Amino acid sequence: MIQRTPARIEARDASHPPDVRVEPGNTPDWQQILSQSVTTPEQLLERLGLAPEDWFRGAACGHRLFPIRVPEPYLARIEQGNPDDPLLRQVLPVAQEAEIHPDFVSDPLEEASAIQTTGLIRKYTSRALLMITGQCAINCRYCFRRHFPYGDHRLGPEDRRQVIDSLSASPEINEVIFSGGDPLAVNDRLLSQWAELLGDIPHLRRLRIHSRLPVVIPQRVCDSLIDWLSRTRLQKVLVVHVNHPAEIDQATRQAFRRLSEAGVTLLNQSVILKGVNDSSATLSALSETLFEAGVMPYYLHAFDPVSGARHFSVSDTDAIRIVNEMLENLPGFLVPKLVRELPGRASKTPLDLGS
Ligand SMILES: *Cc1c(COP(=O)(O)O)cnc(C)c1O
Ligand code: SF4
């Protein structure tokens, strides 16, 4: 049986004001939208009609550990005055973030040691990760990179030459992944220069981008992005990051459509999060909504024990039960792979779904 989208999500989509159009020639400036993001507990609570006396202390406390950042197009999808809104939970700091627990650590994937000074990470056999920037368009409370010193990684011209030399000398690498932070937080002039240099390396086949920006600020899918994506000879894959079907509105669908039309294969990764998407009904609705928007579900990440995010923790037993329910509800191609990244492994590790 196919699960229907919960009624609340449909109602919310209908009740919203018309979305900002993402059209050629009439592109709002995504950088301006980004720079006008909500970045304080006061602004966030006021904007969403939440009583400061209930939420301010927790929000201020979490904000000191990992600053609030939420752009307006994402805020517009959050229901006013509802502290349990699944999108709000992803961005509102709470007092539990300050809790210390021995099993929840600051770098659960032990990534800090794998980064080279140039921003190139070579932990997979056929693909190389390029940390384009440490900046993100939104600060997700559960992020396993919330404690990461990414701000230090800014690639200069000398780093770029080193990266290109290293990739040119590595014929086993056929795919480069723009990672971060959020690589699309960087301007298109710089990204198109990278794409051009990479396109000149004959053994590279694919360019992959891991970004939450087309979801968080759909206006990011502007003419200049489409322009350099259309020009590269490399095959393009964009892995977006959506955790709940209410994150996809009309403007997001239009952004996805423009990307598809430019020849970009769209995949999604989600994290299983308590109070956000820890049910097979929500995750099945997410898969259906993604597919309607031209995006294939790819990974569902089992929860990583990152300190400050224990309140989002879903046990492996629950995650496995939920994915098994999804297998009953959905065609196989709409069930994401439930995986975990383990330190030192050359790929993601699938969780055993049992028999
Ligand atoms: C897992 C991972 C990859 C590699 O992804 P595959 O789809 O397994 O090839 C790249 N970047 C990041 C940040 C990852 O976590
Ligand atoms: S956009 Fe991705 S990397 Fe950035 S805070 Fe959110 S989950 Fe973390």
mmCIF file of all heavy atoms in Angstrom, residues 67-99:
data_model
loop_
_atom_site.group_PDB
_atom_site.id
_atom_site.type_symbol
_atom_site.label_atom_id
_atom_site.label_comp_id
_atom_site.label_asym_id
_atom_site.label_seq_id
_atom_site.Cartn_x
_atom_site.Cartn_y
_atom_site.Cartn_z
ATOM 1 N N PRO A 67 26.270 28.590 15.605
ATOM 2 C CA PRO A 67 25.380 29.732 15.373
ATOM 3 C C PRO A 67 24.171 29.397 14.496
ATOM 4 O O PRO A 67 24.245 28.554 13.600
ATOM 5 C CB PRO A 67 26.277 30.767 14.690
ATOM 6 C CG PRO A 67 27.564 30.109 14.412
ATOM 7 C CD PRO A 67 27.627 28.805 15.114
ATOM 8 N N ILE A 68 23.086 30.093 14.788
ATOM 9 C CA ILE A 68 21.869 29.973 13.977
ATOM 10 C C ILE A 68 22.118 30.576 12.599
ATOM 11 O O ILE A 68 22.759 31.617 12.484
ATOM 12 C CB ILE A 68 20.722 30.756 14.656
ATOM 13 C CG1 ILE A 68 20.278 30.052 15.935
ATOM 14 C CG2 ILE A 68 19.545 30.984 13.698
ATOM 15 C CD1 ILE A 68 19.299 30.861 16.771
ATOM 16 N N ARG A 69 21.636 29.908 11.575
ATOM 17 C CA ARG A 69 21.599 30.509 10.226
ATOM 18 C C ARG A 69 20.450 29.864 9.463
ATOM 19 O O ARG A 69 20.463 28.661 9.225
ATOM 20 C CB ARG A 69 22.921 30.284 9.481
ATOM 21 C CG ARG A 69 22.853 30.678 8.003
ATOM 22 C CD ARG A 69 24.167 30.458 7.296
ATOM 23 N NE ARG A 69 25.155 31.452 7.694
ATOM 24 C CZ ARG A 69 25.207 32.671 7.156
ATOM 25 N NH1 ARG A 69 24.373 33.040 6.225
ATOM 26 N NH2 ARG A 69 26.127 33.506 7.562
ATOM 27 N N VAL A 70 19.460 30.666 9.092
ATOM 28 C CA VAL A 70 18.317 30.172 8.312
ATOM 29 C C VAL A 70 17.893 31.236 7.294
ATOM 30 O O VAL A 70 17.470 32.319 7.670
ATOM 31 C CB VAL A 70 17.065 29.856 9.188
ATOM 32 C CG1 VAL A 70 16.138 28.904 8.455
ATOM 33 C CG2 VAL A 70 17.422 29.328 10.562
ATOM 34 N N PRO A 71 17.988 30.943 6.010
ATOM 35 C CA PRO A 71 17.539 31.902 4.993
ATOM 36 C C PRO A 71 16.007 31.925 4.883
ATOM 37 O O PRO A 71 15.335 30.936 5.170
ATOM 38 C CB PRO A 71 18.162 31.385 3.696
ATOM 39 C CG PRO A 71 19.103 30.304 4.091
ATOM 40 C CD PRO A 71 18.633 29.778 5.409
ATOM 41 N N GLU A 72 15.517 33.048 4.400
ATOM 42 C CA GLU A 72 14.065 33.282 4.347
ATOM 43 C C GLU A 72 13.275 32.236 3.542
ATOM 44 O O GLU A 72 12.213 31.800 3.992
ATOM 45 C CB GLU A 72 13.806 34.705 3.805
ATOM 46 C CG GLU A 72 12.347 35.082 3.668
ATOM 47 C CD GLU A 72 11.542 34.979 4.970
ATOM 48 O OE1 GLU A 72 12.122 35.249 6.043
ATOM 49 O OE2 GLU A 72 10.352 34.605 4.918
ATOM 50 N N PRO A 73 13.754 31.802 2.359
ATOM 51 C CA PRO A 73 12.917 30.837 1.615
ATOM 52 C C PRO A 73 12.675 29.547 2.397
ATOM 53 O O PRO A 73 11.644 28.904 2.214
ATOM 54 C CB PRO A 73 13.738 30.557 0.347
ATOM 55 C CG PRO A 73 14.640 31.737 0.201
ATOM 56 C CD PRO A 73 14.953 32.190 1.601
ATOM 57 N N TYR A 74 13.597 29.183 3.289
ATOM 58 C CA TYR A 74 13.393 27.993 4.116
ATOM 59 C C TYR A 74 12.437 28.311 5.267
ATOM 60 O O TYR A 74 11.537 27.544 5.574
ATOM 61 C CB TYR A 74 14.739 27.498 4.652
ATOM 62 C CG TYR A 74 14.692 26.103 5.267
ATOM 63 C CD1 TYR A 74 14.839 24.971 4.475
ATOM 64 C CD2 TYR A 74 14.505 25.929 6.631
ATOM 65 C CE1 TYR A 74 14.799 23.695 5.030
ATOM 66 C CE2 TYR A 74 14.457 24.652 7.199
ATOM 67 C CZ TYR A 74 14.608 23.545 6.389
ATOM 68 O OH TYR A 74 14.562 22.282 6.932
ATOM 69 N N LEU A 75 12.614 29.492 5.873
ATOM 70 C CA LEU A 75 11.720 29.922 6.956
ATOM 71 C C LEU A 75 10.265 29.946 6.494
ATOM 72 O O LEU A 75 9.365 29.610 7.252
ATOM 73 C CB LEU A 75 12.104 31.334 7.409
ATOM 74 C CG LEU A 75 13.300 31.460 8.330
ATOM 75 C CD1 LEU A 75 13.669 32.932 8.486
ATOM 76 C CD2 LEU A 75 12.995 30.842 9.693
ATOM 77 N N ALA A 76 10.064 30.333 5.231
ATOM 78 C CA ALA A 76 8.701 30.478 4.711
ATOM 79 C C ALA A 76 7.963 29.147 4.676
ATOM 80 O O ALA A 76 6.736 29.120 4.589
ATOM 81 C CB ALA A 76 8.746 31.093 3.311
ATOM 82 N N ARG A 77 8.696 28.031 4.756
ATOM 83 C CA ARG A 77 8.039 26.713 4.713
ATOM 84 C C ARG A 77 7.743 26.185 6.119
ATOM 85 O O ARG A 77 7.223 25.084 6.268
ATOM 86 C CB ARG A 77 8.926 25.711 3.980
ATOM 87 C CG ARG A 77 9.136 26.083 2.518
ATOM 88 C CD ARG A 77 10.260 25.263 1.874
ATOM 89 N NE ARG A 77 11.043 26.127 0.993
ATOM 90 C CZ ARG A 77 12.259 25.855 0.572
ATOM 91 N NH1 ARG A 77 12.859 24.731 0.919
ATOM 92 N NH2 ARG A 77 12.898 26.698 -0.218
ATOM 93 N N ILE A 78 8.121 26.947 7.144
ATOM 94 C CA ILE A 78 7.888 26.523 8.534
ATOM 95 C C ILE A 78 6.548 27.069 9.002
ATOM 96 O O ILE A 78 6.230 28.236 8.769
ATOM 97 C CB ILE A 78 9.040 27.018 9.442
ATOM 98 C CG1 ILE A 78 10.371 26.402 8.983
ATOM 99 C CG2 ILE A 78 8.754 26.702 10.905
ATOM 100 C CD1 ILE A 78 11.586 26.866 9.754
ATOM 101 N N GLU A 79 5.776 26.218 9.675
ATOM 102 C CA GLU A 79 4.470 26.645 10.165
ATOM 103 C C GLU A 79 4.632 27.594 11.357
ATOM 104 O O GLU A 79 5.357 27.278 12.314
ATOM 105 C CB GLU A 79 3.671 25.412 10.575
ATOM 106 C CG GLU A 79 2.213 25.687 10.811
ATOM 107 C CD GLU A 79 1.466 24.423 11.266
ATOM 108 O OE1 GLU A 79 1.984 23.305 11.039
ATOM 109 O OE2 GLU A 79 0.399 24.562 11.861
ATOM 110 N N GLN A 80 3.962 28.718 11.298
ATOM 111 C CA GLN A 80 4.019 29.706 12.388
ATOM 112 C C GLN A 80 3.538 29.102 13.705
ATOM 113 O O GLN A 80 2.523 28.401 13.740
ATOM 114 C CB GLN A 80 3.107 30.901 12.053
ATOM 115 C CG GLN A 80 3.606 31.804 10.950
ATOM 116 C CD GLN A 80 4.745 32.694 11.411
ATOM 117 O OE1 GLN A 80 4.717 33.258 12.499
ATOM 118 N NE2 GLN A 80 5.767 32.801 10.586
ATOM 119 N N GLY A 81 4.249 29.415 14.770
ATOM 120 C CA GLY A 81 3.781 29.077 16.116
ATOM 121 C C GLY A 81 3.764 27.596 16.450
ATOM 122 O O GLY A 81 3.200 27.199 17.456
ATOM 123 N N ASN A 82 4.367 26.757 15.608
ATOM 124 C CA ASN A 82 4.371 25.318 15.888
ATOM 125 C C ASN A 82 5.777 24.852 16.265
ATOM 126 O O ASN A 82 6.619 24.630 15.399
ATOM 127 C CB ASN A 82 3.875 24.547 14.659
ATOM 128 C CG ASN A 82 3.957 23.035 14.862
ATOM 129 O OD1 ASN A 82 4.207 22.562 15.972
ATOM 130 N ND2 ASN A 82 3.767 22.297 13.780
ATOM 131 N N PRO A 83 6.033 24.685 17.569
ATOM 132 C CA PRO A 83 7.391 24.308 17.994
ATOM 133 C C PRO A 83 7.789 22.906 17.525
ATOM 134 O O PRO A 83 8.978 22.567 17.530
ATOM 135 C CB PRO A 83 7.329 24.380 19.519
ATOM 136 C CG PRO A 83 5.889 24.292 19.870
ATOM 137 C CD PRO A 83 5.113 24.842 18.707
ATOM 138 N N ASP A 84 6.821 22.078 17.112
ATOM 139 C CA ASP A 84 7.139 20.719 16.658
ATOM 140 C C ASP A 84 7.290 20.623 15.147
ATOM 141 O O ASP A 84 7.415 19.521 14.604
ATOM 142 C CB ASP A 84 6.047 19.739 17.108
ATOM 143 C CG ASP A 84 5.973 19.657 18.626
ATOM 144 O OD1 ASP A 84 7.037 19.749 19.267
ATOM 145 O OD2 ASP A 84 4.860 19.524 19.157
ATOM 146 N N ASP A 85 7.241 21.744 14.459
ATOM 147 C CA ASP A 85 7.388 21.704 13.004
ATOM 148 C C ASP A 85 8.683 20.980 12.633
ATOM 149 O O ASP A 85 9.756 21.281 13.171
ATOM 150 C CB ASP A 85 7.416 23.131 12.448
ATOM 151 C CG ASP A 85 7.469 23.146 10.936
ATOM 152 O OD1 ASP A 85 8.562 22.867 10.373
ATOM 153 O OD2 ASP A 85 6.436 23.414 10.303
ATOM 154 N N PRO A 86 8.600 19.992 11.729
ATOM 155 C CA PRO A 86 9.792 19.180 11.411
ATOM 156 C C PRO A 86 10.917 19.980 10.729
ATOM 157 O O PRO A 86 12.075 19.556 10.772
ATOM 158 C CB PRO A 86 9.246 18.102 10.468
ATOM 159 C CG PRO A 86 7.958 18.639 9.952
ATOM 160 C CD PRO A 86 7.400 19.547 11.012
ATOM 161 N N LEU A 87 10.586 21.099 10.113
ATOM 162 C CA LEU A 87 11.648 21.922 9.521
ATOM 163 C C LEU A 87 12.275 22.800 10.596
ATOM 164 O O LEU A 87 13.495 23.001 10.630
ATOM 165 C CB LEU A 87 11.093 22.790 8.380
ATOM 166 C CG LEU A 87 10.986 22.114 7.012
ATOM 167 C CD1 LEU A 87 10.111 20.883 7.045
ATOM 168 C CD2 LEU A 87 10.534 23.081 5.957
ATOM 169 N N LEU A 88 11.409 23.291 11.493
ATOM 170 C CA LEU A 88 11.911 24.120 12.592
ATOM 171 C C LEU A 88 12.906 23.340 13.451
ATOM 172 O O LEU A 88 13.960 23.855 13.831
ATOM 173 C CB LEU A 88 10.742 24.607 13.458
ATOM 174 C CG LEU A 88 11.165 25.410 14.693
ATOM 175 C CD1 LEU A 88 11.745 26.757 14.288
ATOM 176 C CD2 LEU A 88 10.012 25.591 15.659
ATOM 177 N N ARG A 89 12.562 22.086 13.736
ATOM 178 C CA ARG A 89 13.441 21.278 14.595
ATOM 179 C C ARG A 89 14.860 21.162 14.026
ATOM 180 O O ARG A 89 15.816 20.979 14.758
ATOM 181 C CB ARG A 89 12.856 19.877 14.794
ATOM 182 C CG ARG A 89 11.764 19.826 15.850
ATOM 183 C CD ARG A 89 11.278 18.399 16.074
ATOM 184 N NE ARG A 89 12.329 17.529 16.603
ATOM 185 C CZ ARG A 89 12.572 17.325 17.893
ATOM 186 N NH1 ARG A 89 11.854 17.918 18.793
ATOM 187 N NH2 ARG A 89 13.540 16.509 18.266
ATOM 188 N N GLN A 90 14.978 21.270 12.707
ATOM 189 C CA GLN A 90 16.299 21.147 12.088
ATOM 190 C C GLN A 90 17.165 22.387 12.276
ATOM 191 O O GLN A 90 18.377 22.333 12.078
ATOM 192 C CB GLN A 90 16.151 20.852 10.591
ATOM 193 C CG GLN A 90 15.443 19.535 10.314
ATOM 194 C CD GLN A 90 15.318 19.264 8.819
ATOM 195 O OE1 GLN A 90 16.292 19.308 8.089
ATOM 196 N NE2 GLN A 90 14.103 18.985 8.362
ATOM 197 N N VAL A 91 16.526 23.525 12.631
ATOM 198 C CA VAL A 91 17.278 24.786 12.680
ATOM 199 C C VAL A 91 17.225 25.516 14.013
ATOM 200 O O VAL A 91 18.008 26.439 14.242
ATOM 201 C CB VAL A 91 16.811 25.764 11.565
ATOM 202 C CG1 VAL A 91 17.101 25.163 10.189
ATOM 203 C CG2 VAL A 91 15.327 26.116 11.686
ATOM 204 N N LEU A 92 16.275 25.141 14.895
ATOM 205 C CA LEU A 92 16.140 25.839 16.181
ATOM 206 C C LEU A 92 17.014 25.167 17.241
ATOM 207 O O LEU A 92 16.808 23.998 17.566
ATOM 208 C CB LEU A 92 14.678 25.831 16.637
ATOM 209 C CG LEU A 92 14.399 26.428 18.027
ATOM 210 C CD1 LEU A 92 14.630 27.939 18.026
ATOM 211 C CD2 LEU A 92 12.974 26.112 18.492
ATOM 212 N N PRO A 93 17.994 25.918 17.803
ATOM 213 C CA PRO A 93 18.810 25.312 18.862
ATOM 214 C C PRO A 93 17.973 25.100 20.119
ATOM 215 O O PRO A 93 17.077 25.887 20.415
ATOM 216 C CB PRO A 93 19.893 26.366 19.137
ATOM 217 C CG PRO A 93 19.775 27.384 18.062
ATOM 218 C CD PRO A 93 18.402 27.298 17.504
ATOM 219 N N VAL A 94 18.275 24.028 20.837
ATOM 220 C CA VAL A 94 17.585 23.749 22.093
ATOM 221 C C VAL A 94 18.628 23.479 23.182
ATOM 222 O O VAL A 94 19.796 23.206 22.885
ATOM 223 C CB VAL A 94 16.622 22.535 21.968
ATOM 224 C CG1 VAL A 94 15.448 22.884 21.055
ATOM 225 C CG2 VAL A 94 17.352 21.307 21.457
ATOM 226 N N ALA A 95 18.161 23.535 24.448
ATOM 227 C CA ALA A 95 19.085 23.423 25.585
ATOM 228 C C ALA A 95 19.855 22.099 25.582
ATOM 229 O O ALA A 95 21.007 22.041 26.030
ATOM 230 C CB ALA A 95 18.315 23.594 26.893
ATOM 231 N N GLN A 96 19.236 21.024 25.053
ATOM 232 C CA GLN A 96 19.912 19.706 25.070
ATOM 233 C C GLN A 96 21.236 19.708 24.300
ATOM 234 O O GLN A 96 22.055 18.811 24.476
ATOM 235 C CB GLN A 96 19.032 18.611 24.452
ATOM 236 C CG GLN A 96 17.893 18.141 25.312
ATOM 237 C CD GLN A 96 16.567 18.469 24.638
ATOM 238 O OE1 GLN A 96 16.278 19.638 24.388
ATOM 239 N NE2 GLN A 96 15.783 17.465 24.326
ATOM 240 N N GLU A 97 21.448 20.706 23.428
ATOM 241 C CA GLU A 97 22.700 20.739 22.667
ATOM 242 C C GLU A 97 23.917 20.868 23.576
ATOM 243 O O GLU A 97 25.026 20.507 23.192
ATOM 244 C CB GLU A 97 22.680 21.886 21.650
ATOM 245 C CG GLU A 97 21.682 21.635 20.548
ATOM 246 C CD GLU A 97 21.774 22.661 19.414
ATOM 247 O OE1 GLU A 97 22.813 23.314 19.270
ATOM 248 O OE2 GLU A 97 20.776 22.782 18.679
ATOM 249 N N ALA A 98 23.700 21.408 24.773
ATOM 250 C CA ALA A 98 24.826 21.597 25.701
ATOM 251 C C ALA A 98 25.121 20.336 26.515
ATOM 252 O O ALA A 98 26.115 20.276 27.230
ATOM 253 C CB ALA A 98 24.531 22.766 26.629
ATOM 254 N N GLU A 99 24.260 19.308 26.380
ATOM 255 C CA GLU A 99 24.470 18.084 27.166
ATOM 256 C C GLU A 99 25.707 17.345 26.690
ATOM 257 O O GLU A 99 25.936 17.197 25.490
ATOM 258 C CB GLU A 99 23.250 17.152 27.040
ATOM 259 C CG GLU A 99 22.071 17.624 27.863
ATOM 260 C CD GLU A 99 20.822 16.781 27.596
ATOM 261 O OE1 GLU A 99 20.929 15.708 26.960
ATOM 262 O OE2 GLU A 99 19.748 17.229 28.027
#
